[in-house]
Amino acid sequence: MKMEHIRGDRKGFFRAVDGSVEAGLISYVDAEPDRMIIDHTEVAGHYSGEGVGKLLVVTLAEYARANSRKVIPLCSFARAVFDKMLGIRDVLVR
């Protein structure tokens, strides 16, 4: 599974791509210079249950960590992943 990061002025997303098929995406909005708001996570139906959503959240968390950013997960799926995974909580806004 390949991850792609597409970034605009204040918005961006990570895309999970399997060959030429989009398996899922996670989108965010820049809130401040050092914060990202996750507003949506989506997984293609036939990839449901295969861990694609979790991989997207972890990829975004790794990006945030590498770029000294903090994350606000408004998306309920992303929030649930952060709740379950101790290893990525360091990037959450407290």
Side-chain angles (χ1 to χ4, degrees):
M1 186 93 38
K2 177 182 166 191
M3 295 302 229
E4 298 176 348
H5 184 200
I6 293 90
R7 189 168 162 73
D9 253 358
R10 289 186 26 98
K11 295 183 113 181
F13 61 93
F14 287 87
R15 233 169 56 128
V17 181
D18 184 18
S20 62
V21 177
E22 182 176 291
L25 66 85
I26 187 168
S27 62
Y28 65 88
V29 177
D30 290 323
E32 296 176 19
D34 66 339
R35 294 186 180 192
M36 305 166 72
I37 298 172
I38 299 173
D39 57 0
H40 184 68
T41 306
E42 179 178 320
V43 174
H46 53 285
Y47 288 95
S48 182
E50 293 188 20
V52 174
K54 178 180 171 183
L55 179 61
L56 287 162
V57 174
V58 169
T59 299
L60 187 140
E62 290 170 350
Y63 172 83
R65 188 179 299 117
N67 290 279
S68 302
R69 315 260 332 257
K70 293 291 185 180
V71 174
I72 302 167
L74 292 184
C75 166
S76 59
F77 176 82
R79 166 55 69 191
V81 174
F82 276 102
D83 287 346
K84 292 175 186 169
M85 295 187 67
L86 296 174
I88 61 173
R89 289 185 192 167
D90 61 301
V91 299
L92 287 176
V93 170
R94 303 268 178 205

